[in-house]
Amino acid sequence: MTDSAVRRIPIPLRPAPSKDFEADDPFALVEVEYPVASDRAADEATARVFIEEYAMAGWSAERVRALFTSSQFSGPNGILNRRGAAFVDGLLGEVYGTGGDDG
């Protein structure tokens, strides 16, 4: 199926339910993993999305690279561990157009 053949289904937007915050509300981030083959193409697409999203938010390449080196971010860190620094730096360079280090 081509992109032009994709059927778009409108989703009605509703206000999110809200309530007053309570002292015992959980505010911790929760990591969720899903089983997927970790082939090079999947890792490249995933890493590129991480990089592009943070680049559009105004983060520097150096700051985005720190996500990949931090074990607190298991997705990017897993890609760095599987593919190596040259793989991540190459994608940073492609997205930022700077060789991956724009400061």
Side-chain angles (χ1 to χ4, degrees):
M1 179 181 286
T2 64
D3 288 342
S4 61
V6 173
R7 183 171 171 229
R8 306 276 182 209
I9 301 172
I11 300 173
L13 298 177
R14 298 184 189 114
S18 64
K19 69 174 192 71
D20 291 333
F21 290 109
E22 298 173 14
D24 62 345
D25 282 341
F27 289 101
L29 297 176
V30 177
E31 176 183 326
V32 178
E33 293 185 19
Y34 59 95
V36 64
S38 292
D39 65 1
R40 183 178 175 85
D43 282 348
E44 182 174 346
T46 303
R48 186 176 299 278
V49 167
F50 280 122
I51 294 166
E52 289 175 351
E53 287 293 322
Y54 285 100
M56 288 188 289
W59 287 34
S60 69
E62 181 180 288
R63 190 172 175 199
V64 175
R65 192 180 194 291
L67 294 175
F68 286 85
T69 61
S70 172
S71 61
Q72 289 183 306
F73 300 93
S74 64
N77 188 249
I79 292 169
L80 176 70
N81 290 334
R82 281 190 300 279
R83 304 292 169 202
F87 178 85
V88 172
D89 290 341
L91 291 172
L92 285 164
E94 289 175 21
V95 171
Y96 284 90
T98 62
D101 185 17
D102 71 346

